[in-house]
Amino acid sequence: MEIILQDSSVKSINKDIDFAYHKENLVYNNETIEILKPIQIKGKVNVLQGVAELKLSVSTRLRHVCSRCLEPFEVDLDLMVDEKVSKDEQEDENVITLEEGDVLDIRDVVMNNIYLALPLKVLCKEDCKGLCQDCGKNLNEGQCNCTHEEVDPRLSALKDMFKEV
C-alpha cells in the first residue's frame, strides 16, 4: 500500500488501513525465516503538513531455526508500529525522511519494524541446551554418551607433549 506525500502539504489525509501483505521469506543474519501467515496490517495513517503518522498493528507467524539446537520452530509475531515519515527534512528527530521520491510504501515501514523486532540470537526456548560438541546429539532430547574432557585451549599443546613420554 502506497501513500503519495507530494500534495499532502496542501491537505490532510486520514486513512484506515487493513490489508494482508504476502511475502514468502525474510533473510536475517544470513538465515532464511519462513513467513507462515500473510503479514496482517491494521491501523490508521494520518498525513498533515507533509508528515505521515502511522499507527499500525502488525501480526504474522514465523518459522525460525534455533541457533543452539538447529531445530525449526514457529512463533507468532505481534508488534505495534508508530512512525512519522516525511518527504522533506524535518527538525524533529523522530521523523523519518524519505530518501527518494514522494511515495511512502507502508510495506517498507512494516518490514523495517519486523526486522528490528527479530532477536539477534534466535532460540526455540530460553533454556535450550543445544547440540553436543562431539557427537552432535540434540541435548534437549536427552544426554549423549560422550565423555567430555574440559581442556583449557591454552594448555592443549602440553597435553599432547605428555603422550610422547
Side-chain angles (χ1 to χ4, degrees):
M1 168 137 220
E2 296 177 343
I3 295 177
I4 299 172
L5 297 178
Q6 184 176 16
D7 298 327
S8 62
S9 58
V10 179
K11 60 182 179 178
S12 68
I13 301 169
N14 294 317
K15 203 168 219 181
D16 288 331
I17 303 294
D18 188 0
F19 70 98
Y21 177 37
H22 300 275
K23 188 164 174 68
E24 290 182 23
N25 297 321
L26 301 173
V27 177
Y28 180 69
N29 285 342
N30 295 323
E31 305 243 351
T32 300
I33 300 170
E34 188 178 349
I35 300 176
L36 301 174
K37 284 180 17 184
I39 301 168
Q40 189 64 41
I41 303 166
K42 294 181 182 181
K44 293 187 178 294
V45 176
N46 298 318
V47 183
L48 183 61
Q49 298 177 348
V51 177
E53 183 176 358
L54 295 98
K55 293 191 182 278
L56 308 169
S57 68
V58 178
S59 64
T60 189
R61 186 159 185 82
L62 305 173
R63 178 179 287 137
H64 291 280
V65 175
C66 181
S67 296
R68 287 188 188 157
C69 69
L70 304 178
E71 291 292 324
F73 68 99
E74 297 178 6
V75 64
D76 288 322
L77 177 70
D78 296 306
L79 60 108
M80 297 299 295
V81 175
D82 189 1
E83 300 278 350
K84 291 181 181 178
V85 182
S86 173
K87 68 177 183 134
D88 300 318
E89 189 88 19
Q90 299 286 319
E91 290 182 17
D92 187 354
E93 61 190 41
N94 295 327
V95 177
I96 300 168
T97 304
L98 285 178
E99 298 205 9
E100 293 181 13
D102 299 332
V103 179
L104 167 64
D105 191 344
I106 293 175
R107 294 172 297 201
D108 292 341
V109 175
V110 168
M111 291 309 298
N112 286 340
N113 278 273
I114 288 175
Y115 279 116
L116 289 172
L118 295 174
L120 290 175
K121 189 170 188 174
V122 179
L123 299 177
C124 59
K125 55 186 178 182
E126 196 171 313
D127 61 342
C128 177
K129 296 176 184 174
L131 302 174
C132 173
Q133 293 180 4
D134 296 325
C135 68
K137 179 177 178 171
N138 187 342
L139 298 175
N140 293 316
E141 298 170 357
Q143 285 296 90
C144 63
N145 296 325
C146 298
T147 57
H148 299 285
E149 290 184 32
E150 297 293 324
V151 177
D152 187 335
R154 297 171 292 181
L155 301 175
S156 62
L158 291 174
K159 178 182 169 188
D160 294 337
M161 284 178 48
F162 289 114
K163 286 183 180 179
E164 294 175 8
V165 177

